[in-house]
Amino acid sequence: MLTEDARALLATGGVCDSCLGRPFADRSFGLTNAERGRALRTTVAMADDEDFDPTPPADCWVCEGYCGTFDAIADAVVEALEGVDFATYQVGTQVPPLVEENDRLLREDAGLEPDVGESLKREMNREVGRRVGAKTGAEVDFDRPDVLAVVDLEGFDPREALEEGAVTGHAVDVQINPAFVYGRYRKLERDIPQTEWPCRECGGSGIQLGNDGEEPCDYCGGSGYMYDTSVEQTVRPHVVEAMDGDEGTFHGAGREDVDARMLEEGRPFVLEVKRPRKRDPDPAELEAKINEAADGSVEVEGLRLATYEMVERVKEHDASKHYRADVEFSEPVDEERFDEAIAELDGTTLAQETPQRVDHRRAALTRERTVYDLEGELRSPTEAEVRLHGEGGLYVKEFVSGDDGRTEPSLAGTLGVDAEVTALDVTGVEGEDEPFEREEYFLDEPRDGDGDDGDDDEGSDRN
């Protein structure tokens, strides 16, 4: 039956060894399709006592010469990847519709099932990919490669490529997947947002229309931003430069209010670098460079090269937070009354409607959040320090003030006096069930001092 099928395929016209062997791709593991085709052609010639007369790819009516260009295409891919740092790769192919039709007609004319064996696209991907791997030392990755080289077979004439032994680089499109750097940041000064904050009046242009035409925006002073800098603007340029990328995107594990500091172990983040030409900067050197440039306003630590899965983990991982708040009361509170209120609220579950200060950009919902641990110290009859460990998404300012009854219970409601947070610090961000920093999410070896810290998924302005 095998030789009869081979005879039927050969009877369709001049067919190269690769195209002859491709319908039998599931036979005899370890052979290329060209080796299968040559073996079948040899077997038929010997059985029929005919001259052995192979058809070169240039004369093949099925692939029209493309099966002879594997080496040339691989060379073009390697050339297109020159100057790009990568450890994993994948090759994809766009096959001309007429050639795909030829591949189908070959099986149809021979009386075979239309999908028997494998397609020309799959063979092209494998054969070119195998050669690229051998030339670069990189490993193939079908899930998330560092680079993807897509070959458009219509971008060159296969018969010209066979004569010249080369394929034009215009037929190869290299897609460089992003690289990721994970770390934690501390925000040591107030009034610094996590991400850049374009001016709401000029839309970030820094320009407004005046009587004499364009002039600097009055609202932002022409900077285009509501604040002079941000954590993102502190970190991003250095990471993008170190990886020779085009741009970067900051992903934080939630965010603290602009007027809140982020202290102690810091908040997890991932900096995503688009089209990086380098993927292995020294995290310790990068960390030192960022901290030196920030000059005490922002610090980063624990920088590591991460996988793309770390972005989702940073954004979605359940977390709890620790806070320290300075609180001011509208009238004197005695110490016994204060201590009783703290004890009553310790461990309680709050019902919090969306705060008034953010209801213009958040859905009107009532959320239940638990206060895991609560401590406080009355510093004067009208001033206190409150330390809180709460469930992710808990609005701390509203827990203190009550937000006109939108948070129940609250410190203000329990005491029966108005209360306001005058200064807030986030002092810890940790995972509810497990830490962020798991080794399967990193591409490098842990540095001395790196360990499993906490994490966070706090929403914008949830403090």
Side-chain angles (χ1 to χ4, degrees):
M1 176 63 77
L2 191 66
T3 54
E4 290 303 315
D5 288 342
R7 286 190 180 91
L9 291 166
L10 289 168
T12 65
V15 181
C16 71
D17 288 343
S18 289
C19 291
L20 178 59
R22 197 159 51 252
F24 307 97
D26 56 353
R27 300 289 190 95
S28 189
F29 178 78
L31 296 174
T32 66
N33 288 332
E35 290 170 339
R36 292 185 181 94
R38 186 173 183 86
L40 288 167
R41 193 187 305 273
T42 301
T43 299
V44 170
M46 292 182 67
D48 297 345
D49 195 17
E50 294 180 349
D51 293 340
F52 180 74
D53 186 21
T55 298
D59 298 329
C60 177
W61 73 269
V62 180
C63 71
E64 299 181 353
Y66 284 114
C67 287
T69 62
F70 297 148
D71 287 321
I73 294 174
D75 288 339
V77 169
V78 172
E79 183 177 352
L81 290 170
E82 187 174 353
V84 178
D85 183 19
F86 64 99
T88 59
Y89 72 97
Q90 184 181 354
V91 172
T93 309
Q94 296 176 346
V95 179
L98 289 178
V99 175
E100 287 186 327
E101 179 70 6
N102 290 346
D103 209 24
R104 185 188 65 79
L105 288 174
L106 171 66
R107 291 161 173 78
E108 182 179 302
D109 292 349
L112 303 179
E113 293 295 326
D115 58 351
V116 67
E118 70 175 352
S119 65
L120 175 59
K121 179 193 292 266
R122 184 172 178 180
E123 179 180 21
M124 186 70 68
N125 292 345
R126 184 183 62 257
E127 292 298 330
V128 174
R130 181 168 60 84
R131 289 163 170 80
V132 170
K135 292 174 181 292
T136 63
E139 296 183 0
V140 66
D141 183 344
F142 297 112
D143 295 324
R144 185 77 180 188
D146 293 339
V147 294
L148 169 64
V150 179
V151 181
D152 183 1
L153 297 186
E154 288 189 310
F156 65 95
D157 185 314
R159 293 182 174 89
E160 288 184 4
L162 288 171
E163 290 180 3
E164 299 173 3
V167 168
T168 173
H170 297 299
V172 179
D173 178 37
V174 170
Q175 301 174 21
I176 305 175
N177 279 327
F180 306 90
V181 173
Y182 169 85
R184 285 175 174 259
Y185 75 82
R186 286 185 289 272
K187 196 176 74 177
L188 305 178
E189 296 179 0
R190 305 190 190 280
D191 296 322
I192 298 177
Q194 183 190 86
T195 55
E196 60 183 15
W197 196 325
C199 173
R200 63 172 63 97
E201 295 297 319
C202 66
S205 68
I207 297 172
Q208 66 181 16
L209 290 177
N211 295 331
D212 299 323
E214 293 184 347
E215 57 186 34
C217 173
D218 289 336
Y219 200 75
C220 66
S223 69
Y225 295 98
M226 297 294 293
Y227 295 88
D228 292 337
T229 188
S230 65
V231 177
E232 177 182 23
Q233 289 164 286
T234 300
V235 175
R236 183 182 60 201
H238 301 287
V239 180
V240 172
E241 180 184 12
M243 290 189 156
D244 192 16
D246 290 347
E247 57 182 312
T249 301
F250 190 96
H251 304 281
R255 65 176 70 221
E256 64 284 336
D257 282 352
V258 171
D259 61 355
R261 295 183 299 182
M262 181 67 241
L263 305 177
E264 298 191 17
E265 293 181 349
R267 185 182 296 276
F269 73 91
V270 173
L271 202 293
E272 176 181 354
V273 179
K274 308 294 179 61
R275 290 189 61 82
R277 265 71 69 178
K278 299 177 181 177
R279 289 183 174 267
D280 60 348
D282 185 317
E285 291 182 5
L286 182 56
E287 187 176 298
K289 187 173 184 179
I290 292 171
N291 290 340
E292 181 180 0
D295 195 26
S297 60
V298 173
E299 290 179 349
V300 297
E301 70 174 10
L303 295 191
R304 296 189 64 181
L305 307 179
T307 66
Y308 77 100
E309 290 95 346
M310 187 55 101
V311 173
E312 181 178 359
R313 187 164 178 83
V314 161
K315 296 169 75 70
E316 303 295 335
H317 192 53
D318 288 336
S320 65
K321 291 86 175 178
H322 295 260
Y323 302 92
R324 191 210 65 82
D326 291 335
V327 178
E328 185 174 301
F329 303 113
S330 62
E331 58 185 76
V333 175
D334 64 60
E335 188 169 356
E336 182 179 358
R337 184 181 175 195
F338 176 78
D339 291 342
E340 289 175 351
I342 293 295
E344 181 178 339
L345 293 170
D346 186 14
T348 192
T349 296
L350 313 176
Q352 294 194 301
E353 295 181 34
T354 301
Q356 299 179 70
R357 62 190 171 97
V358 298
D359 63 3
H360 62 287
R361 61 178 182 272
R362 290 189 177 275
L365 298 173
T366 299
R367 303 168 176 85
E368 289 192 348
R369 296 291 185 267
T370 300
V371 177
Y372 296 140
D373 185 63
L374 182 66
E375 297 178 352
E377 178 183 349
L378 195 65
R379 292 178 168 175
S380 76
T382 58
E383 295 177 322
E385 177 182 281
V386 172
R387 295 174 298 279
L388 180 151
H389 177 204
E391 184 179 356
L394 186 151
Y395 293 101
V396 177
K397 291 177 180 177
E398 284 67 29
F399 164 67
V400 170
S401 71
D403 196 24
D404 293 333
R406 297 165 72 92
T407 289
E408 291 288 348
S410 67
L411 181 60
T414 303
L415 288 170
V417 301
D418 290 341
E420 178 185 6
V421 172
T422 57
L424 182 66
D425 297 328
V426 185
T427 58
V429 178
E430 62 186 34
E432 290 278 10
D433 300 316
E434 62 179 26
F436 264 133
E437 295 86 349
R438 292 176 54 178
E439 285 306 308
E440 60 261 41
Y441 294 101
F442 297 110
L443 298 173
D444 56 6
E445 296 296 324
R447 293 157 51 195
D448 290 342
D450 282 350
D452 286 344
D453 295 317
D455 70 275
D456 173 37
D457 71 346
E458 178 184 4
S460 172
D461 295 314
R462 292 188 179 180
N463 291 318

